[in-house]
PDB file of all heavy atoms in Angstrom:
ATOM      1  N   VAL A   1       0.805  -1.217   0.000  1.00 98.00           N
ATOM      2  CA  VAL A   1       0.000   0.000   0.000  1.00 98.00           C
ATOM      3  C   VAL A   1       0.835   1.263   0.000  1.00 98.00           C
ATOM      4  O   VAL A   1       0.287   2.369  -0.133  1.00 98.00           O
ATOM      5  CB  VAL A   1      -0.978   0.034   1.195  1.00 98.00           C
ATOM      6  CG1 VAL A   1      -1.830  -1.226   1.227  1.00 98.00           C
ATOM      7  CG2 VAL A   1      -0.220   0.204   2.509  1.00 98.00           C
ATOM      8  N   LYS A   2       2.123   1.132   0.147  1.00 97.00           N
ATOM      9  CA  LYS A   2       3.012   2.293   0.219  1.00 97.00           C
ATOM     10  C   LYS A   2       2.882   3.147  -1.040  1.00 97.00           C
ATOM     11  O   LYS A   2       2.904   2.643  -2.158  1.00 97.00           O
ATOM     12  CB  LYS A   2       4.451   1.832   0.421  1.00 97.00           C
ATOM     13  CG  LYS A   2       5.421   2.934   0.781  1.00 97.00           C
ATOM     14  CD  LYS A   2       6.797   2.361   1.119  1.00 97.00           C
ATOM     15  CE  LYS A   2       6.732   1.436   2.319  1.00 97.00           C
ATOM     16  NZ  LYS A   2       8.077   0.900   2.691  1.00 97.00           N
ATOM     17  N   GLY A   3       2.735   4.440  -0.826  1.00 97.00           N
ATOM     18  CA  GLY A   3       2.557   5.360  -1.929  1.00 97.00           C
ATOM     19  C   GLY A   3       1.114   5.564  -2.330  1.00 97.00           C
ATOM     20  O   GLY A   3       0.809   6.504  -3.073  1.00 97.00           O
ATOM     21  N   ARG A   4       0.220   4.705  -1.860  1.00 98.00           N
ATOM     22  CA  ARG A   4      -1.198   4.821  -2.182  1.00 98.00           C
ATOM     23  C   ARG A   4      -2.035   5.174  -0.959  1.00 98.00           C
ATOM     24  O   ARG A   4      -3.029   5.887  -1.072  1.00 98.00           O
ATOM     25  CB  ARG A   4      -1.720   3.519  -2.790  1.00 98.00           C
ATOM     26  CG  ARG A   4      -1.035   3.122  -4.087  1.00 98.00           C
ATOM     27  CD  ARG A   4      -1.721   1.915  -4.726  1.00 98.00           C
ATOM     28  NE  ARG A   4      -1.657   0.732  -3.870  1.00 98.00           N
ATOM     29  CZ  ARG A   4      -2.722   0.090  -3.387  1.00 98.00           C
ATOM     30  NH1 ARG A   4      -3.952   0.510  -3.678  1.00 98.00           N
ATOM     31  NH2 ARG A   4      -2.563  -0.988  -2.627  1.00 98.00           N
ATOM     32  N   PHE A   5      -1.638   4.647   0.196  1.00 98.00           N
ATOM     33  CA  PHE A   5      -2.378   4.872   1.432  1.00 98.00           C
ATOM     34  C   PHE A   5      -1.612   5.831   2.331  1.00 98.00           C
ATOM     35  O   PHE A   5      -0.377   5.835   2.358  1.00 98.00           O
ATOM     36  CB  PHE A   5      -2.587   3.562   2.190  1.00 98.00           C
ATOM     37  CG  PHE A   5      -3.533   2.591   1.540  1.00 98.00           C
ATOM     38  CD1 PHE A   5      -3.996   2.768   0.248  1.00 98.00           C
ATOM     39  CD2 PHE A   5      -3.960   1.467   2.249  1.00 98.00           C
ATOM     40  CE1 PHE A   5      -4.864   1.863  -0.342  1.00 98.00           C
ATOM     41  CE2 PHE A   5      -4.824   0.558   1.678  1.00 98.00           C
ATOM     42  CZ  PHE A   5      -5.279   0.751   0.382  1.00 98.00           C
ATOM     43  N   THR A   6      -2.341   6.618   3.097  1.00 97.00           N
ATOM     44  CA  THR A   6      -1.744   7.527   4.056  1.00 97.00           C
ATOM     45  C   THR A   6      -2.487   7.415   5.377  1.00 97.00           C
ATOM     46  O   THR A   6      -3.709   7.571   5.429  1.00 97.00           O
ATOM     47  CB  THR A   6      -1.791   8.982   3.569  1.00 97.00           C
ATOM     48  OG1 THR A   6      -1.116   9.094   2.315  1.00 97.00           O
ATOM     49  CG2 THR A   6      -1.108   9.898   4.584  1.00 97.00           C
ATOM     50  N   ILE A   7      -1.749   7.152   6.431  1.00 97.00           N
ATOM     51  CA  ILE A   7      -2.336   7.061   7.754  1.00 97.00           C
ATOM     52  C   ILE A   7      -2.072   8.364   8.507  1.00 97.00           C
ATOM     53  O   ILE A   7      -0.992   8.952   8.384  1.00 97.00           O
ATOM     54  CB  ILE A   7      -1.778   5.841   8.527  1.00 97.00           C
ATOM     55  CG1 ILE A   7      -2.545   5.607   9.820  1.00 97.00           C
ATOM     56  CG2 ILE A   7      -0.291   5.988   8.800  1.00 97.00           C
ATOM     57  CD1 ILE A   7      -2.181   4.288  10.493  1.00 97.00           C
ATOM     58  N   SER A   8      -3.054   8.812   9.253  1.00 95.00           N
ATOM     59  CA  SER A   8      -2.905  10.031  10.039  1.00 95.00           C
ATOM     60  C   SER A   8      -3.763   9.917  11.290  1.00 95.00           C
ATOM     61  O   SER A   8      -4.613   9.028  11.393  1.00 95.00           O
ATOM     62  CB  SER A   8      -3.289  11.270   9.226  1.00 95.00           C
ATOM     63  OG  SER A   8      -4.643  11.217   8.817  1.00 95.00           O
ATOM     64  N   ARG A   9      -3.525  10.819  12.227  1.00 93.00           N
ATOM     65  CA  ARG A   9      -4.314  10.811  13.447  1.00 93.00           C
ATOM     66  C   ARG A   9      -4.533  12.226  13.933  1.00 93.00           C
ATOM     67  O   ARG A   9      -3.713  13.115  13.727  1.00 93.00           O
ATOM     68  CB  ARG A   9      -3.633   9.967  14.537  1.00 93.00           C
ATOM     69  CG  ARG A   9      -2.297  10.515  15.029  1.00 93.00           C
ATOM     70  CD  ARG A   9      -1.574   9.500  15.911  1.00 93.00           C
ATOM     71  NE  ARG A   9      -2.300   9.218  17.137  1.00 93.00           N
ATOM     72  CZ  ARG A   9      -2.051   8.193  17.947  1.00 93.00           C
ATOM     73  NH1 ARG A   9      -1.078   7.329  17.633  1.00 93.00           N
ATOM     74  NH2 ARG A   9      -2.759   8.020  19.047  1.00 93.00           N
ATOM     75  N   ASP A  10      -5.651  12.425  14.591  1.00 92.00           N
ATOM     76  CA  ASP A  10      -5.988  13.682  15.220  1.00 92.00           C
ATOM     77  C   ASP A  10      -6.247  13.365  16.682  1.00 92.00           C
ATOM     78  O   ASP A  10      -7.325  12.898  17.044  1.00 92.00           O
ATOM     79  CB  ASP A  10      -7.208  14.319  14.565  1.00 92.00           C
ATOM     80  CG  ASP A  10      -7.507  15.706  15.097  1.00 92.00           C
ATOM     81  OD1 ASP A  10      -7.134  16.017  16.240  1.00 92.00           O
ATOM     82  OD2 ASP A  10      -8.124  16.498  14.358  1.00 92.00           O
ATOM     83  N   ASN A  11      -5.252  13.588  17.506  1.00 88.00           N
ATOM     84  CA  ASN A  11      -5.372  13.214  18.912  1.00 88.00           C
ATOM     85  C   ASN A  11      -6.415  14.049  19.645  1.00 88.00           C
ATOM     86  O   ASN A  11      -7.048  13.567  20.583  1.00 88.00           O
ATOM     87  CB  ASN A  11      -4.015  13.327  19.602  1.00 88.00           C
ATOM     88  CG  ASN A  11      -3.057  12.242  19.167  1.00 88.00           C
ATOM     89  OD1 ASN A  11      -3.466  11.231  18.592  1.00 88.00           O
ATOM     90  ND2 ASN A  11      -1.772  12.434  19.431  1.00 88.00           N
ATOM     91  N   ALA A  12      -6.583  15.305  19.240  1.00 89.00           N
ATOM     92  CA  ALA A  12      -7.588  16.150  19.867  1.00 89.00           C
ATOM     93  C   ALA A  12      -8.985  15.605  19.627  1.00 89.00           C
ATOM     94  O   ALA A  12      -9.856  15.693  20.496  1.00 89.00           O
ATOM     95  CB  ALA A  12      -7.483  17.584  19.360  1.00 89.00           C
ATOM     96  N   LYS A  13      -9.218  15.056  18.447  1.00 92.00           N
ATOM     97  CA  LYS A  13     -10.511  14.477  18.103  1.00 92.00           C
ATOM     98  C   LYS A  13     -10.576  12.980  18.370  1.00 92.00           C
ATOM     99  O   LYS A  13     -11.617  12.357  18.134  1.00 92.00           O
ATOM    100  CB  LYS A  13     -10.847  14.762  16.643  1.00 92.00           C
ATOM    101  CG  LYS A  13     -11.059  16.229  16.317  1.00 92.00           C
ATOM    102  CD  LYS A  13     -11.437  16.400  14.857  1.00 92.00           C
ATOM    103  CE  LYS A  13     -11.861  17.830  14.550  1.00 92.00           C
ATOM    104  NZ  LYS A  13     -10.763  18.804  14.791  1.00 92.00           N
ATOM    105  N   LYS A  14      -9.484  12.418  18.831  1.00 91.00           N
ATOM    106  CA  LYS A  14      -9.400  10.986  19.110  1.00 91.00           C
ATOM    107  C   LYS A  14      -9.823  10.165  17.893  1.00 91.00           C
ATOM    108  O   LYS A  14     -10.651   9.252  17.994  1.00 91.00           O
ATOM    109  CB  LYS A  14     -10.243  10.622  20.329  1.00 91.00           C
ATOM    110  CG  LYS A  14      -9.754  11.228  21.629  1.00 91.00           C
ATOM    111  CD  LYS A  14     -10.577  10.714  22.801  1.00 91.00           C
ATOM    112  CE  LYS A  14     -10.051  11.241  24.115  1.00 91.00           C
ATOM    113  NZ  LYS A  14     -10.832  10.710  25.269  1.00 91.00           N
ATOM    114  N   THR A  15      -9.253  10.500  16.768  1.00 94.00           N
ATOM    115  CA  THR A  15      -9.640   9.853  15.524  1.00 94.00           C
ATOM    116  C   THR A  15      -8.413   9.453  14.716  1.00 94.00           C
ATOM    117  O   THR A  15      -7.455  10.216  14.607  1.00 94.00           O
ATOM    118  CB  THR A  15     -10.530  10.769  14.679  1.00 94.00           C
ATOM    119  OG1 THR A  15     -11.657  11.194  15.454  1.00 94.00           O
ATOM    120  CG2 THR A  15     -11.041  10.038  13.446  1.00 94.00           C
ATOM    121  N   LEU A  16      -8.468   8.269  14.165  1.00 95.00           N
ATOM    122  CA  LEU A  16      -7.453   7.746  13.269  1.00 95.00           C
ATOM    123  C   LEU A  16      -8.032   7.693  11.862  1.00 95.00           C
ATOM    124  O   LEU A  16      -9.204   7.369  11.685  1.00 95.00           O
ATOM    125  CB  LEU A  16      -7.033   6.349  13.719  1.00 95.00           C
ATOM    126  CG  LEU A  16      -6.035   5.597  12.848  1.00 95.00           C
ATOM    127  CD1 LEU A  16      -4.642   6.198  12.997  1.00 95.00           C
ATOM    128  CD2 LEU A  16      -6.035   4.116  13.217  1.00 95.00           C
ATOM    129  N   PHE A  17      -7.211   7.990  10.865  1.00 97.00           N
ATOM    130  CA  PHE A  17      -7.670   8.007   9.489  1.00 97.00           C
ATOM    131  C   PHE A  17      -6.791   7.129   8.615  1.00 97.00           C
ATOM    132  O   PHE A  17      -5.613   6.929   8.887  1.00 97.00           O
ATOM    133  CB  PHE A  17      -7.648   9.426   8.918  1.00 97.00           C
ATOM    134  CG  PHE A  17      -8.477  10.407   9.684  1.00 97.00           C
ATOM    135  CD1 PHE A  17      -7.887  11.240  10.623  1.00 97.00           C
ATOM    136  CD2 PHE A  17      -9.838  10.503   9.465  1.00 97.00           C
ATOM    137  CE1 PHE A  17      -8.639  12.153  11.332  1.00 97.00           C
ATOM    138  CE2 PHE A  17     -10.608  11.416  10.172  1.00 97.00           C
ATOM    139  CZ  PHE A  17     -10.011  12.240  11.107  1.00 97.00           C
ATOM    140  N   LEU A  18      -7.382   6.627   7.563  1.00 98.00           N
ATOM    141  CA  LEU A  18      -6.644   5.948   6.516  1.00 98.00           C
ATOM    142  C   LEU A  18      -7.173   6.441   5.181  1.00 98.00           C
ATOM    143  O   LEU A  18      -8.290   6.100   4.788  1.00 98.00           O
ATOM    144  CB  LEU A  18      -6.777   4.432   6.623  1.00 98.00           C
ATOM    145  CG  LEU A  18      -5.977   3.636   5.589  1.00 98.00           C
ATOM    146  CD1 LEU A  18      -4.476   3.803   5.832  1.00 98.00           C
ATOM    147  CD2 LEU A  18      -6.354   2.151   5.623  1.00 98.00           C
ATOM    148  N   GLN A  19      -6.378   7.250   4.503  1.00 98.00           N
ATOM    149  CA  GLN A  19      -6.722   7.723   3.171  1.00 98.00           C
ATOM    150  C   GLN A  19      -6.205   6.708   2.165  1.00 98.00           C
ATOM    151  O   GLN A  19      -5.002   6.448   2.099  1.00 98.00           O
ATOM    152  CB  GLN A  19      -6.114   9.093   2.908  1.00 98.00           C
ATOM    153  CG  GLN A  19      -6.392   9.645   1.513  1.00 98.00           C
ATOM    154  CD  GLN A  19      -7.854   9.928   1.288  1.00 98.00           C
ATOM    155  OE1 GLN A  19      -8.501  10.553   2.124  1.00 98.00           O
ATOM    156  NE2 GLN A  19      -8.389   9.464   0.168  1.00 98.00           N
ATOM    157  N   MET A  20      -7.098   6.149   1.383  1.00 98.00           N
ATOM    158  CA  MET A  20      -6.750   5.116   0.422  1.00 98.00           C
ATOM    159  C   MET A  20      -6.997   5.645  -0.982  1.00 98.00           C
ATOM    160  O   MET A  20      -8.133   5.970  -1.337  1.00 98.00           O
ATOM    161  CB  MET A  20      -7.562   3.847   0.670  1.00 98.00           C
ATOM    162  CG  MET A  20      -7.423   3.298   2.085  1.00 98.00           C
ATOM    163  SD  MET A  20      -8.294   1.728   2.317  1.00 98.00           S
ATOM    164  CE  MET A  20      -9.996   2.277   2.102  1.00 98.00           C
ATOM    165  N   ASN A  21      -5.945   5.723  -1.765  1.00 98.00           N
ATOM    166  CA  ASN A  21      -6.021   6.184  -3.143  1.00 98.00           C
ATOM    167  C   ASN A  21      -5.577   5.077  -4.085  1.00 98.00           C
ATOM    168  O   ASN A  21      -4.922   4.122  -3.674  1.00 98.00           O
ATOM    169  CB  ASN A  21      -5.147   7.424  -3.348  1.00 98.00           C
ATOM    170  CG  ASN A  21      -5.554   8.592  -2.479  1.00 98.00           C
ATOM    171  OD1 ASN A  21      -6.739   8.814  -2.234  1.00 98.00           O
ATOM    172  ND2 ASN A  21      -4.574   9.363  -2.022  1.00 98.00           N
ATOM    173  N   SER A  22      -5.917   5.238  -5.337  1.00 98.00           N
ATOM    174  CA  SER A  22      -5.532   4.269  -6.369  1.00 98.00           C
ATOM    175  C   SER A  22      -5.860   2.847  -5.937  1.00 98.00           C
ATOM    176  O   SER A  22      -5.034   1.938  -6.027  1.00 98.00           O
ATOM    177  CB  SER A  22      -4.040   4.405  -6.690  1.00 98.00           C
ATOM    178  OG  SER A  22      -3.734   5.708  -7.138  1.00 98.00           O
ATOM    179  N   LEU A  23      -7.064   2.661  -5.488  1.00 98.00           N
ATOM    180  CA  LEU A  23      -7.463   1.371  -4.942  1.00 98.00           C
ATOM    181  C   LEU A  23      -7.479   0.282  -6.001  1.00 98.00           C
ATOM    182  O   LEU A  23      -7.833   0.521  -7.153  1.00 98.00           O
ATOM    183  CB  LEU A  23      -8.831   1.480  -4.281  1.00 98.00           C
ATOM    184  CG  LEU A  23      -8.813   2.156  -2.906  1.00 98.00           C
ATOM    185  CD1 LEU A  23     -10.205   2.622  -2.517  1.00 98.00           C
ATOM    186  CD2 LEU A  23      -8.260   1.196  -1.859  1.00 98.00           C
ATOM    187  N   LYS A  24      -7.099  -0.899  -5.571  1.00 98.00           N
ATOM    188  CA  LYS A  24      -7.037  -2.074  -6.421  1.00 98.00           C
ATOM    189  C   LYS A  24      -7.984  -3.138  -5.890  1.00 98.00           C
ATOM    190  O   LYS A  24      -8.298  -3.156  -4.706  1.00 98.00           O
ATOM    191  CB  LYS A  24      -5.614  -2.636  -6.454  1.00 98.00           C
ATOM    192  CG  LYS A  24      -4.545  -1.637  -6.856  1.00 98.00           C
ATOM    193  CD  LYS A  24      -3.159  -2.251  -6.716  1.00 98.00           C
ATOM    194  CE  LYS A  24      -2.079  -1.267  -7.082  1.00 98.00           C
ATOM    195  NZ  LYS A  24      -0.717  -1.859  -6.913  1.00 98.00           N
ATOM    196  N   PRO A  25      -8.425  -4.057  -6.748  1.00 97.00           N
ATOM    197  CA  PRO A  25      -9.286  -5.143  -6.266  1.00 97.00           C
ATOM    198  C   PRO A  25      -8.659  -5.930  -5.116  1.00 97.00           C
ATOM    199  O   PRO A  25      -9.384  -6.392  -4.233  1.00 97.00           O
ATOM    200  CB  PRO A  25      -9.466  -6.017  -7.512  1.00 97.00           C
ATOM    201  CG  PRO A  25      -9.365  -5.053  -8.645  1.00 97.00           C
ATOM    202  CD  PRO A  25      -8.311  -4.067  -8.216  1.00 97.00           C
ATOM    203  N   GLU A  26      -7.349  -6.063  -5.103  1.00 96.00           N
ATOM    204  CA  GLU A  26      -6.673  -6.790  -4.038  1.00 96.00           C
ATOM    205  C   GLU A  26      -6.740  -6.074  -2.697  1.00 96.00           C
ATOM    206  O   GLU A  26      -6.384  -6.650  -1.674  1.00 96.00           O
ATOM    207  CB  GLU A  26      -5.210  -7.055  -4.409  1.00 96.00           C
ATOM    208  CG  GLU A  26      -4.376  -5.794  -4.547  1.00 96.00           C
ATOM    209  CD  GLU A  26      -2.955  -6.080  -5.029  1.00 96.00           C
ATOM    210  OE1 GLU A  26      -2.782  -7.035  -5.819  1.00 96.00           O
ATOM    211  OE2 GLU A  26      -2.033  -5.366  -4.620  1.00 96.00           O
ATOM    212  N   ASP A  27      -7.180  -4.831  -2.696  1.00 98.00           N
ATOM    213  CA  ASP A  27      -7.370  -4.102  -1.449  1.00 98.00           C
ATOM    214  C   ASP A  27      -8.680  -4.464  -0.763  1.00 98.00           C
ATOM    215  O   ASP A  27      -8.929  -4.029   0.363  1.00 98.00           O
ATOM    216  CB  ASP A  27      -7.337  -2.596  -1.692  1.00 98.00           C
ATOM    217  CG  ASP A  27      -5.990  -2.098  -2.183  1.00 98.00           C
ATOM    218  OD1 ASP A  27      -4.959  -2.576  -1.670  1.00 98.00           O
ATOM    219  OD2 ASP A  27      -5.973  -1.228  -3.085  1.00 98.00           O
ATOM    220  N   THR A  28      -9.515  -5.230  -1.431  1.00 98.00           N
ATOM    221  CA  THR A  28     -10.792  -5.637  -0.864  1.00 98.00           C
ATOM    222  C   THR A  28     -10.575  -6.460   0.398  1.00 98.00           C
ATOM    223  O   THR A  28      -9.879  -7.469   0.381  1.00 98.00           O
ATOM    224  CB  THR A  28     -11.604  -6.445  -1.880  1.00 98.00           C
ATOM    225  OG1 THR A  28     -11.918  -5.622  -3.006  1.00 98.00           O
ATOM    226  CG2 THR A  28     -12.900  -6.950  -1.260  1.00 98.00           C
ATOM    227  N   ALA A  29     -11.162  -6.009   1.491  1.00 98.00           N
ATOM    228  CA  ALA A  29     -10.993  -6.673   2.776  1.00 98.00           C
ATOM    229  C   ALA A  29     -11.816  -5.942   3.817  1.00 98.00           C
ATOM    230  O   ALA A  29     -12.346  -4.861   3.571  1.00 98.00           O
ATOM    231  CB  ALA A  29      -9.521  -6.689   3.191  1.00 98.00           C
ATOM    232  N   VAL A  30     -11.913  -6.552   4.982  1.00 98.00           N
ATOM    233  CA  VAL A  30     -12.413  -5.853   6.146  1.00 98.00           C
ATOM    234  C   VAL A  30     -11.229  -5.146   6.786  1.00 98.00           C
ATOM    235  O   VAL A  30     -10.209  -5.772   7.070  1.00 98.00           O
ATOM    236  CB  VAL A  30     -13.081  -6.806   7.155  1.00 98.00           C
ATOM    237  CG1 VAL A  30     -13.503  -6.045   8.406  1.00 98.00           C
ATOM    238  CG2 VAL A  30     -14.284  -7.486   6.521  1.00 98.00           C
ATOM    239  N   TYR A  31     -11.366  -3.865   7.004  1.00 98.00           N
ATOM    240  CA  TYR A  31     -10.289  -3.068   7.563  1.00 98.00           C
ATOM    241  C   TYR A  31     -10.543  -2.810   9.042  1.00 98.00           C
ATOM    242  O   TYR A  31     -11.629  -2.389   9.433  1.00 98.00           O
ATOM    243  CB  TYR A  31     -10.155  -1.745   6.812  1.00 98.00           C
ATOM    244  CG  TYR A  31      -9.459  -1.901   5.486  1.00 98.00           C
ATOM    245  CD1 TYR A  31     -10.091  -2.549   4.427  1.00 98.00           C
ATOM    246  CD2 TYR A  31      -8.167  -1.424   5.292  1.00 98.00           C
ATOM    247  CE1 TYR A  31      -9.448  -2.716   3.216  1.00 98.00           C
ATOM    248  CE2 TYR A  31      -7.520  -1.583   4.083  1.00 98.00           C
ATOM    249  CZ  TYR A  31      -8.166  -2.229   3.046  1.00 98.00           C
ATOM    250  OH  TYR A  31      -7.518  -2.388   1.839  1.00 98.00           O
TER     251      TYR A  31
END
């Protein structure tokens, strides 16, 4: 996923994010 996905967090909002770009069929899964 390197170069396509970006992980980030907002500690003030207590939220974790995963931005997924250029998705492929092989990315299909429960996250």
Side-chain angles (χ1 to χ4, degrees):
V1 306
K2 191 174 298 182
R4 299 187 298 119
F5 291 11
T6 302
I7 189 171
S8 61
R9 65 190 296 166
D10 186 335
N11 289 343
K13 295 182 171 62
K14 295 185 177 182
T15 305
L16 176 73
F17 302 98
L18 183 67
Q19 178 65 48
M20 304 184 294
N21 300 323
S22 301
L23 283 162
K24 306 174 181 179
E26 65 185 33
D27 295 319
T28 297
V30 176
Y31 283 71

